[in-house]
Amino acid sequence: TRIADVRAGAVVKIEGTVKAVGSYAGGFKFAVDDGSGSLALALPEKTYKDVSGLAGLRAGARVRAYGPTEIFNGELELQPLEAKAVTVLESGSASNAVTAINAIGLGAVGQTVTIAGEIIGTDAFEQGARLTVDDGTGLMTVLLWNTVLTYVPDAQKLAVGQTIRATGRVDEYKGALEIVPQIGFDVEVK
């Protein structure tokens, strides 16, 4: 089905390219575009964790998905009922371009960037962890919600002195900028 033709309440099969990735308390969302339009592919964690080729399900991936659609918070979503209803046809890949921390300003809020540097501080809290990263040009907090942290390869190695690469959305919290990865595979321990 062309995404432009998808209506709420229908059961559809779509195929397209993941243009953006987001996470929420109980799972993940992927904006899938087939050239005719865009649709949110909503995967609760219980479905997401069993998708075949999970590490490739990121921006740039080509996917096919099947399931019912509905409007949630004003957005049309495809909500597959099981992991096998989602097929990663072609894996997406991590961004190659690394941005210097001192080049990230308020104008970058809402954008996705990649940083790389050494972890100089960690702060675990009930809903996740904050890492302070130093790339030699400045410091940045990388905020990892538990939903995302669960899927970080080698997450147990996220410690002071370790070098990481993180891709995420730039957010502002209490006057400070932070990088918020939307999927665990966007955090690499070097």
Side-chain angles (χ1 to χ4, degrees):
T1 308
R2 283 173 11 113
I3 290 176
D5 298 331
V6 174
R7 299 293 176 255
V11 175
V12 299
K13 181 190 286 187
I14 63 155
E15 188 173 310
T17 302
V18 175
K19 297 295 187 181
V21 178
S23 61
Y24 58 95
F28 303 87
K29 278 191 185 183
F30 303 87
V32 179
D33 190 300
D34 71 352
S36 75
S38 187
L39 176 69
L41 172 61
L43 299 175
E45 189 172 5
K46 66 183 172 60
T47 303
Y48 174 81
K49 68 183 178 66
D50 293 327
V51 170
S52 180
L54 187 59
L57 184 53
R58 58 191 345 173
R62 289 215 28 91
V63 298
R64 181 181 303 126
Y66 173 84
T69 59
E70 72 173 58
I71 302 288
F72 183 75
N73 287 338
E75 181 179 32
L76 182 61
E77 292 183 347
L78 172 58
Q79 302 174 340
L81 301 177
E82 55 190 359
K84 68 182 182 183
V86 179
T87 304
V88 178
L89 302 170
E90 185 178 317
S91 292
S93 58
S95 170
N96 287 326
V98 173
T99 302
I101 289 173
N102 70 351
I104 302 170
L106 283 174
V109 170
Q111 296 177 13
T112 299
V113 301
T114 299
I115 64 167
E118 181 181 339
I119 299 172
I120 63 163
T122 63
D123 176 27
F125 61 103
E126 188 176 338
Q127 295 88 10
R130 287 182 193 88
L131 309 175
T132 303
V133 176
D134 183 348
D135 73 347
T137 72
L139 305 179
M140 181 67 69
T141 296
V142 175
L143 175 63
L144 298 170
W145 296 110
N146 282 334
T147 308
V148 173
L149 188 56
T150 298
Y151 296 96
V152 173
D154 297 322
Q156 72 281 2
K157 294 181 180 176
L158 294 173
V160 171
Q162 196 69 47
T163 300
I164 67 164
R165 177 186 177 106
T167 300
R169 186 185 64 234
V170 179
D171 281 348
E172 182 264 334
Y173 179 71
K174 293 186 176 179
L177 295 177
E178 56 189 18
I179 306 294
V180 185
Q182 299 298 300
I183 57 173
F185 298 102
D186 278 345
V187 179
E188 299 173 47
V189 180
K190 299 289 190 179

